């Protein structure tokens, strides 16, 4: 699961809107201060002609959304239903899927990189803020008055980003910080999901992540995810939770499933390629040839070389 960069975000939006990506970029922003932009959801939704479903993925940028309309936000281990007005805080740490449930979509959202809102610029470390932690529910139901207050902040951001004020991005940082503090004082929406559906979703996403790494097609290709912790981190769930879910659904632990798939791929590479054993070991994520040989022999009672013969 590759992270979607801010450039990919603009490529997808501009492609669906049939417009030049440069037309979406804010005026006067310089690369050295990071990236920031703000959008009107209703206007963008109309341009997209309803294509605003965001697939389950990891994004390499932050996003704050004021949402008006029925929507569903799906995380690896929970699904949150939005009935009317809500504010959503998205972080690069947590992949998610966003799905509108009706055509009456409005509100605002802003996207920004960590560089734009770095600690030395706002006095806060984004990754340490409660609103951006992986174990929370970053979706907050809003009252009418709260919706009006947040809408006003976004309108100020829209006004500033279109202005010629030299220090407008300094001012915008203050508005974004105000949105973050506003959110941290709210009570999160209770996650609405069944235990069974959540477990099935985590299991399905784990299998998708595991299989996406294969087949190994080149000695220079190397596995990125090698341990149970690697997979749990990518899915933004605790490793114990991932193990529990997989054990209940498959009868095997995360490590056992990874080990089985590694062994399967090792046998394929030994039988169907002329790569040397060191190349195969490297591509499968083993730091040392001896580690791979020990792993393979423990599973098959044969050395990799004996198996190949």
């Amino acid at each position: 699961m590759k992270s979607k960069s801010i450039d990919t975000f603009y490529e997808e939006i501009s492609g669906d809107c049939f417009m030049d990506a440069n037309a979406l970029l804010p005026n006067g922003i310089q690369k050295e201060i990071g990236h920031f932009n703000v959008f009107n959801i209703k206007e963008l939704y109309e341009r997209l002609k309803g294509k605003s479903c965001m697939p389950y993925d990891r994004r390499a940028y932050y996003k704050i959304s004021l949402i008006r309309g029925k929507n569903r936000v799906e995380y690896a281990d929970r699904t949150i239903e939005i009935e009317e007005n809500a504010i959503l805080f998205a972080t690069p740490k947590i992949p998610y899927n966003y799905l509108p449930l009706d055509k009456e979509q409005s509100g605002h959202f802003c996207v920004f990189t960590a560089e734009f809102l770095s600690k030395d610029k706002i006095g806060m470390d984004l990754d340490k803020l409660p609103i951006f932690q992986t174990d929370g529910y970053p979706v907050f139901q809003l009252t009418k008055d709260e919706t009006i207050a947040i809408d006003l902040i976004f309108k100020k951001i829209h006004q500033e980003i279109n202005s010629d004020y030299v220090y407008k991005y300094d001012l915008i940082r203050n508005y974004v910080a105000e949105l973050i503090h506003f959110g941290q004082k709210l009570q999160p929406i209770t996650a609405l999901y069944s235990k069974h559906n959540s477990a099935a979703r985590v299991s399905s996403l784990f299998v998708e992540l595991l299989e996406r790494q294969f087949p190994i097609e080149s000695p220079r290709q190397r596995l990125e995810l090698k341990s149970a912790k690697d997979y749990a981190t990518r899915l933004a769930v605790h490793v114990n939770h991932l193990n529990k879910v997989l054990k209940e659904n498959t009868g095997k632990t995360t490590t056992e499933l990874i080990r089985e798939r590694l062994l399967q791929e090792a046998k394929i590479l030994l039988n169907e390629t002329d790569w040397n054993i060191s190349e195969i070991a490297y591509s499968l994520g083993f730091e040392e040839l001896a580690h791979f040989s020990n792993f393979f022999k423990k599973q098959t009672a044969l050395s990799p070389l004996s198996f190949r013969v």
Side-chain angles (χ1 to χ4, degrees):
M1 186 181 298
K2 295 182 178 180
S3 294
K4 285 191 176 180
S5 68
I6 198 72
D7 291 331
T8 304
F9 165 78
Y10 282 106
E11 288 170 7
E12 292 179 350
I13 293 291
S14 60
D16 287 337
C17 291
F18 301 102
M19 62 187 299
D20 184 358
N22 291 324
L24 295 170
L25 296 173
N27 295 322
I29 195 162
Q30 300 168 337
K31 288 185 177 181
E32 60 267 22
I33 69 170
H35 184 82
F36 178 89
N37 209 349
V38 64
F39 297 87
N40 181 293
I41 290 178
K42 185 175 182 179
E43 292 177 1
L44 190 60
Y45 191 76
E46 289 174 352
R47 286 183 176 179
L48 293 171
K49 302 184 185 302
K51 296 179 182 179
S52 59
C53 175
M54 295 183 179
Y56 184 89
D57 220 330
R58 181 179 294 270
R59 297 159 180 85
Y61 51 87
Y62 293 82
K63 183 178 180 183
I64 302 176
S65 306
L66 171 61
I67 302 166
R68 289 190 178 122
K70 291 185 177 181
N71 294 270
R72 179 183 299 127
V73 184
E74 297 176 343
Y75 298 92
D77 63 338
R78 55 194 183 269
T79 297
I80 300 176
E81 303 284 349
I82 300 173
E83 291 297 325
E84 195 172 356
N85 300 323
I87 187 167
L88 165 66
F89 294 83
T91 163
K93 292 180 180 179
I94 308 178
Y96 70 96
N97 172 50
Y98 175 77
L99 179 66
L101 300 179
D102 63 32
K103 295 182 179 180
E104 300 301 319
Q105 300 292 317
S106 62
H108 314 268
F109 73 86
C110 61
V111 293
F112 54 93
T113 58
E115 292 78 14
F116 180 77
L117 226 62
S118 60
K119 184 177 180 180
D120 63 321
K121 291 172 182 171
I122 61 170
M124 300 187 293
D125 188 338
L126 288 181
D127 288 336
K128 292 183 179 179
L129 293 174
I131 202 83
F132 291 122
Q133 294 306 302
T134 58
D135 57 352
Y137 299 102
V139 183
F140 303 86
Q141 194 77 49
L142 300 173
T143 65
K144 183 178 180 180
D145 288 342
E146 289 167 343
T147 302
I148 292 172
I150 293 176
D151 182 72
L152 179 59
I153 297 172
F154 269 106
K155 286 179 177 176
K156 289 179 179 179
I157 294 174
H158 279 287
Q159 182 178 351
E160 287 304 326
I161 205 166
N162 292 316
S163 74
D164 296 326
Y165 182 49
V166 175
Y167 302 105
K168 64 181 179 182
Y169 287 106
D170 293 325
L171 186 53
I172 287 172
R173 285 191 192 92
N174 291 332
Y175 290 142
V176 176
E178 187 175 353
L179 288 173
I180 291 171
H181 286 300
F182 199 116
Q184 291 191 152
K185 293 189 291 183
L186 298 172
Q187 291 297 316
I189 298 175
T190 301
L192 303 175
Y193 64 96
S194 70
K195 185 177 180 181
H196 172 75
N197 288 340
S198 172
R201 179 172 175 76
V202 171
S203 295
S204 175
L205 289 169
F206 167 78
V207 172
E208 181 183 344
L209 280 179
L210 180 62
E211 290 300 326
R212 196 178 293 182
Q213 298 199 95
F214 302 100
I216 301 295
E217 298 176 329
S218 165
R220 293 180 296 278
Q221 181 181 343
R222 199 168 196 224
L223 296 187
E224 294 182 8
L225 306 177
K226 295 177 281 188
S227 68
K229 186 178 180 181
D230 290 339
Y231 284 90
T233 299
R234 188 64 60 92
L235 291 170
V237 299
H238 195 281
V239 67
N240 292 343
H241 177 67
L242 180 59
N243 274 321
K244 181 174 181 291
V245 165
L246 292 175
K247 188 72 174 178
E248 290 175 350
N249 282 269
T250 70
K252 299 174 182 178
T253 66
T254 314
T255 300
E256 288 171 337
L257 292 168
I258 296 170
R259 186 188 303 136
E260 286 182 0
R261 189 62 183 87
L262 275 176
L263 181 61
Q264 178 187 344
E265 194 68 15
K267 289 179 177 179
I268 291 172
L269 294 175
L270 287 167
N271 280 330
E272 299 182 8
T273 74
D274 59 358
W275 306 352
N276 63 49
I277 308 299
S278 294
E279 289 175 326
I280 293 174
Y282 175 82
S283 67
L284 291 175
F286 292 89
E287 299 299 334
E288 302 289 342
L289 174 58
H291 296 166
F292 172 62
S293 296
N294 291 337
F295 162 81
F296 195 87
K297 191 169 185 178
K298 186 176 181 179
Q299 306 304 315
T300 65
L302 294 171
S303 69
L305 195 58
S306 298
F307 178 85
R308 171 171 268 179
V309 173

